[in-house]
Each structure stands twice: as structure tokens, then as C-alpha cells.
Amino acid sequence: MEKKIYFNTPQRLTQLIGANTTVIVAGRRTGKTDSIASPFVLRNMQRMPGSTGGIVVPTYKHGLTNTIPGLLAAWKRWGFVNGIHYVIGRRPPKFFGKPIIEPAEYEHVITFYNGSCAIIISQDRPGSSNSLTLSWLLIDEAKFIDYERLKDETLPANGGIKSYFGHHSFNHSVMILSDMPQTQKGSWFLHYQDKMDADLIETIKGTIYEIWKTKERIRQLNAKGEAVPSYLRNYLRNLDRNLNKMRSVAVFYKEYSSIENLQLLGESYIKQMKRDLTPKTFQTSILCQRIGIAKDGFYSSMREAHKYNASDFEYLDSLGYDFNESQLDCRADKDLNPYAPICIGMDYNANINWIVAGQPTGRRLNVIKSFYTKFERKIPALIDDFCRYYVHHECKVVVYYYDSTALGGNYAVNEQDFHWVVCHEFERHGWQVEDINLGNPMRHDEKYLLINQGFAGKQRLMPMFNRQNNDDLILAIQTAGVVRGRNGFRKDKGGEKLAETEEDLLQHRTDGTDAFDTLYIGCEKFPYRDSFGYHSGGVL
């Protein structure tokens, strides 16, 4: 029995246009990986037997947890079975076709039954695109892609084998997928909008409609038992030929908000995302709107160089491509020193609570991960999240930096103050707490000077952020504004003066940054030293 598959408007239009270069900038849950990337990869691998393509992801962990599972889930729904139609991460069975250019190894390769291969290229894994000859590229989460590396290492490999596939419009094709970027560096693909020939795209649409009309007329003649004139068949062939030529040079750029998929997501999902996400994350990741970057914001000295990737490939490789999400814990983080305490700063709010965790090493403060809980999930749930993630950490010591805002009040948990609850919860989970009181909160202008000097390398510690583990925190830091007053600089907590609603609390923009401030001030001004010679400036 024929199985019907639902595609929303962005998904149908992308497949219909079939441009050689396709750039889709869309909000969350619009089905970018599931029903835009999956048909693209499937078409290329099926219609170019023995070809090799590349699936480019910013980090191996992202590919392992987002891109690849999304592709495989879609293929499974469409009837493609792992082990029969394709294999992943291992040498294919003998009954599979042979690739034209066989990979050196199959550990990070998807192989189809007809010999086509898709190589998983992760930018945090050196050499993953070396010496490749590719016939197509899928670039996922493009806002996190290092364009200079892509341009130097991967794009030149997309030369394909013209003698085999030169007649296909999708030979050397590129698909770029992302939600709206929040940084200048992450905006490298937005210029494709200027490269799109809108008239050509409209001509492609018109040609497809003309092909449909012609085929429909041929079907009607066949149904009546009448002869199909030869000119109709010739006309159809010419239309197909012209369509192929247009597609081979076409650039298709389109932006969509998550509301495009409202029929499947439902209105409640959009409302929930507006409630749960920071306003700027909602603006970029759901509504897919462009935002300005705070070039002279509160953290004006932060640069792209203050972010890093740190995956433990040995551990991630051991998981394979069929793993439980609970296995993705601190063992996947290469930057974690398992024998040193973890320093934390926190921020407490009735609607959101944050932990920002770091480990100083040498002259760096590595911000290794951040956690937050929303609304009904309070501080105990937040600390439970932390302890579950770091359950395999060898040194169960947390250095808890706090200031007077943690004392004498608690509007998030019970009658005890924040400090007591935090210490109690960590101890209940078997962690030793070294609590260090920073006193009254530092003045904003002093904090501004201290932290920006840290970013500039003029303090003892320079903040560095694990990109994969601090997505929302990095966004909040990059967009935190500043207001000037008689007493100097102050962090702008006004949230661009937008009207406050119960679902869109403006203070969500800066809560996480306040937790980071506490962590940095603590590690910089109040270094912790234990009996084993560890202190919050590194190991002595």
C-alpha cells in the first residue's frame, strides 16, 4: 500500500526548486534536518550511485546527537532499514555496491546499498575532510561553522567526478541549514541572499508547473485511449532539459520562522518556547529574525577567539551511532580536569535559576558548562542536573562562589536562603562544598572594567567558553547591553525596553551573565586552594 508522507511548505518548496545551492535559514522545529536535509542526502546518494558526499557539522558531538539521528529517523519512517539499505560507522556488507572512490576507513561514513557514501566531516576533528573528492555537501548548523576552515579545507573537495555525474543538476550541490545567527562570524551564509536570482527561481517554478500540466494532459490522453502526439513528448523532454540546466546554476535562499510548521507544532509549542527561551533566543531560533550585535555592550572585549571546542573523541567514538542520550555526560568533555574541583557561580530568580561552571587552568578560566532551570523547576532540580552530568567526575568538590544576594532570602525554594539550599543539595548528592563569600556585589562599572580586562588578557585569568556547552550563556553575554550613568557603566537589564508579559520576562536576558560574573570575580579575586595543591588558578 502506498504510504503518504507529509511535507510542510518550506520542505516542499525546497525539494521542488532543487537548486544546486540551497540555503535555508529557519526557526526550530521547522524540520530542517528531518525533511529538508534528509531528502537532499537521499536523492544524491540514490541518483548518483557510487558517489561520495560530505555532511559537515561544527562538532562531532553535534553530528552524533542532532544531525545524524535526524537523518536516520526520517529514512526509517520512509522505509529505509539500517543494515539492509545502508550501514553507518562500519565496512558495508559484500552485497552492497562499490563506491567509485573507496574511503580509507568507514568509522565515520554512511554507506548506501548502491555504493554511495556520505562522510561525516566534523570541524573540531582535524583532517576529517583531507584528500576527499565529493559530489555534494550538506552543511548543518551553519551559524557555528568556521567559514575560513570550510573555505580552505572542505569546499575545494566538492569537485565531484564530472565524467560520472556531470549531467545531473545536483552534482556539486550544496545545502546550508541553520537558524538565524547571532554573531557576525556566524552570519557568513546570509550573503547568499544577494546571490539568488529571483527571476530564475520564478522561472523554475513556472517550468515545473508547465511540466505538471503537460504530464497531466498526457495522462488524460492515455486514460481515453487516445494517441499522445509526438510534439507533446518532445516538449516534455525539452522542459526537463531546460529545468535541469536552470537548477544546475540556481541559488535558492529562504528564511522561515517556526510558525511555518504551526500545523504540526501547534500553537501551544510556540507559546511554550516564548515562555521558556530568552527573548533573543526566541527571536532568532523561533521567529528567525535578524538581530543587531552589541558591539559596545557590557562584554565588549569578548571575541570569537574566547570560544573553543573540546570533545573527547575517544569516548564519543566508543558510543557509536546508536546510543542513549544519558551517556552524553562529562565524559564527552575533553576540557574537564577530572581530578580538580569545579568552581561555580549562580544566579537566583523566581522564574529562572542558573549555574555557570568553570575550571581555572594556568591563565585561563575555562567556562566548561552552564545549566539553567525554568519556572517550576527550582534550585534542587538545577543541582540535580549538574550532579547527574558530572556523576563520573573524580573530584566531587564544588567551589561555590556567592555574594550577599544568596543570603537572607529565598523566593525560589523554601524558607531557607539560597546559600543554605545550594550547600544542602550538593551535600545530599555526595559532593563536598567549599563555599566562598564574595561579600556585597561588585559595582557594575568595576565589574565591567575587571571582566573586559580579563577578556583582553590584562587580568590573571582570561575567560574561555566551551562553545558546545554554553549556547544560551554565550548568546546572553554577546548581546548584553550597557547604560551609562553618573556612576559609570551599568549592565542594561531593561531588555531593550520591550513590554513585559507573563510569558516573556525581560530579565531573562541577563540572569545567566550575572552567574558568569560571580564565577569570574570569585576565581579572579578569591582563588581557592585545597590540601592537594589545587587552587583556582590551576594546579601548583
Side-chain angles (χ1 to χ4, degrees):
M1 186 176 67
E2 187 176 290
K3 182 179 181 181
K4 291 186 177 180
I5 300 173
Y6 173 81
F7 292 105
N8 61 31
T9 299
Q11 295 159 1
R12 291 198 307 271
L13 186 59
T14 303
Q15 295 178 53
L16 185 75
I17 299 299
N20 185 266
T21 300
T22 300
V23 182
I24 302 297
V25 186
R28 296 182 185 179
R29 300 288 296 276
T30 48
K32 293 190 295 292
T33 301
D34 184 280
S35 297
I36 295 179
S38 297
F40 171 80
V41 175
L42 194 61
R43 177 202 66 185
N44 292 344
M45 296 184 78
Q46 285 191 300
R47 296 185 63 183
M48 293 191 288
S51 65
T52 301
I55 300 174
V56 184
V57 291
T59 66
Y60 182 50
K61 182 189 285 188
H62 177 90
L64 197 65
T65 57
N66 294 80
T67 307
I68 303 305
L71 293 176
L72 303 187
W75 293 350
K76 183 178 181 180
R77 290 200 316 275
W78 303 337
F80 292 88
V81 179
N82 190 351
I84 297 177
H85 298 100
Y86 69 90
V87 295
I88 179 168
R90 62 184 175 91
R91 183 171 290 278
K94 292 182 179 179
F95 64 84
F96 273 33
K98 293 290 185 182
I100 297 169
I101 301 176
E102 189 164 2
E105 52 86 27
Y106 285 90
E107 188 176 6
H108 306 294
V109 177
I110 303 173
T111 309
F112 244 65
Y113 62 89
N114 62 359
S116 297
C117 295
I119 297 177
I120 301 163
I121 301 169
S122 52
Q123 286 201 319
D124 62 338
R125 196 162 200 149
S128 57
S129 60
N130 288 350
S131 304
L132 297 180
T133 301
L134 306 175
S135 294
W136 55 269
L137 281 175
L138 168 66
I139 303 171
D140 195 28
E141 287 294 347
K143 69 178 183 180
F144 296 124
I145 290 292
D146 183 332
Y147 179 65
E148 291 303 316
R149 288 194 61 189
L150 181 74
K151 180 178 65 175
D152 295 341
E153 299 176 10
T154 310
L155 292 181
N158 190 25
I161 308 175
K162 291 185 179 179
S163 59
Y164 283 86
F165 311 119
H167 60 288
H168 287 303
S169 63
F170 42 83
N171 187 38
H172 304 171
S173 59
V174 178
M175 175 171 280
I176 301 171
L177 301 176
S178 182
D179 55 10
M180 189 59 70
Q182 299 116 8
T183 67
Q184 193 65 37
K185 186 172 182 179
S187 303
W188 62 270
F189 52 90
L190 298 183
H191 75 279
Y192 279 96
Q193 184 173 24
D194 301 325
K195 295 183 177 182
M196 183 177 75
D197 185 337
D199 291 337
L200 178 60
I201 298 300
E202 289 304 313
T203 305
I204 288 174
K205 293 180 183 177
T207 303
I208 292 170
Y209 178 63
E210 188 66 20
I211 289 173
W212 175 82
K213 283 201 310 179
T214 305
K215 287 183 175 179
E216 189 66 18
R217 187 176 176 189
I218 292 173
R219 277 194 292 268
Q220 290 172 358
L221 290 171
N222 286 330
K224 294 177 181 178
E226 299 178 11
V228 178
S230 59
Y231 77 86
L232 268 185
R233 298 192 186 279
N234 291 334
Y235 182 51
L236 187 60
R237 281 193 291 270
N238 286 332
L239 287 173
D240 281 331
R241 190 180 303 114
N242 291 335
L243 178 61
N244 192 66
K245 288 179 181 178
M246 288 187 289
R247 282 173 165 170
S248 68
V249 296
V251 174
F252 179 57
Y253 178 96
K254 194 71 175 176
E255 296 178 4
Y256 296 104
S257 78
S258 300
I259 297 172
E260 294 281 352
N261 206 20
L262 187 64
Q263 187 172 349
L264 285 184
L265 296 179
E267 188 177 343
S268 60
Y269 172 80
I270 305 298
K271 288 184 176 180
Q272 178 187 346
M273 290 298 100
K274 188 178 181 184
R275 183 195 70 185
D276 288 353
L277 298 176
T278 62
K280 201 164 291 293
T281 302
F282 180 80
Q283 185 181 354
T284 57
S285 296
I286 301 299
L287 298 183
C288 198
Q289 296 175 350
R290 302 191 186 198
I291 62 173
I293 307 302
K295 296 180 180 178
D296 56 351
F298 193 81
Y299 303 93
S300 57
S301 295
M302 183 182 182
R303 299 289 182 266
E304 192 66 24
H306 293 111
K307 308 169 195 173
Y308 64 91
N309 297 315
S311 293
D312 189 320
F313 297 121
E314 185 177 351
Y315 176 71
L316 291 173
D317 285 343
S318 72
L319 299 180
Y321 289 93
D322 184 17
F323 64 95
N324 190 302
E325 283 286 340
S326 64
Q327 294 174 278
L328 277 178
D329 50 42
C330 67
R331 291 172 292 180
D333 298 335
K334 192 70 171 178
D335 57 340
L336 178 67
N337 180 349
Y339 306 107
I342 297 176
C343 302
I344 65 168
M346 296 185 66
D347 190 74
Y348 325 91
N349 191 287
N351 296 305
I352 185 170
N353 293 278
W354 281 82
I355 291 177
V356 177
Q359 283 187 322
T361 175
R363 295 202 60 193
R364 292 169 53 129
L365 170 59
N366 287 337
V367 181
I368 55 178
K369 190 167 176 63
S370 51
F371 305 80
Y372 64 85
T373 55
K374 296 274 190 177
F375 299 99
E376 69 279 355
R377 300 190 77 238
K378 304 301 184 183
I379 290 176
L382 178 65
I383 293 173
D384 182 65
D385 291 346
F386 176 98
C387 293
R388 278 191 290 108
Y389 188 83
Y390 288 109
V391 67
H392 296 285
H393 187 59
E394 296 289 342
C395 180
K396 294 292 196 299
V397 177
V398 63
V399 181
Y400 168 38
Y401 290 110
Y402 67 98
D403 58 29
S404 59
T405 61
L407 302 173
N410 184 347
Y411 45 80
V413 186
N414 50 40
E415 70 277 2
Q416 303 292 345
D417 64 23
F418 297 121
H419 170 262
W420 184 90
V421 173
V422 171
C423 294
H424 173 76
E425 289 299 319
F426 271 114
E427 289 167 353
R428 189 174 67 84
H429 282 82
W431 286 66
Q432 175 186 336
V433 180
E434 299 293 340
D435 53 333
I436 298 178
N437 190 343
L438 306 183
N440 291 326
M442 184 178 287
R443 282 176 34 175
H444 278 233
D445 55 339
E446 295 175 355
K447 185 190 299 185
Y448 172 90
L449 183 62
L450 175 73
I451 295 176
N452 280 289
Q453 284 184 339
F455 279 122
K458 297 178 181 179
Q459 294 291 341
R460 187 173 58 85
L461 295 173
M462 177 184 290
M464 302 291 290
F465 295 84
N466 183 315
R467 184 183 282 106
Q468 302 163 68
N469 290 347
N470 294 287
D471 190 19
D472 283 301
L473 176 63
I474 289 172
L475 169 61
I477 288 174
Q478 288 176 160
T479 55
V482 65
V483 291
R484 301 171 187 266
R486 287 178 297 178
N487 296 324
F489 288 101
R490 178 168 57 85
K491 189 184 298 184
D492 184 2
K493 291 177 171 288
E496 299 180 1
K497 309 299 182 184
L498 294 177
E500 183 177 77
T501 68
E502 292 181 359
E503 295 180 345
D504 188 6
L505 300 175
L506 306 180
Q507 65 266 34
H508 286 185
R509 296 175 184 266
T510 52
D511 290 319
T513 70
D514 291 341
F516 161 71
D517 294 347
T518 302
L519 172 68
Y520 182 78
I521 293 168
C523 291
E524 176 66 30
K525 294 291 188 181
F526 300 85
Y528 166 75
R529 186 187 304 248
D530 65 17
S531 58
F532 298 102
Y534 176 88
H535 75 125
S536 58
V539 180
L540 293 177

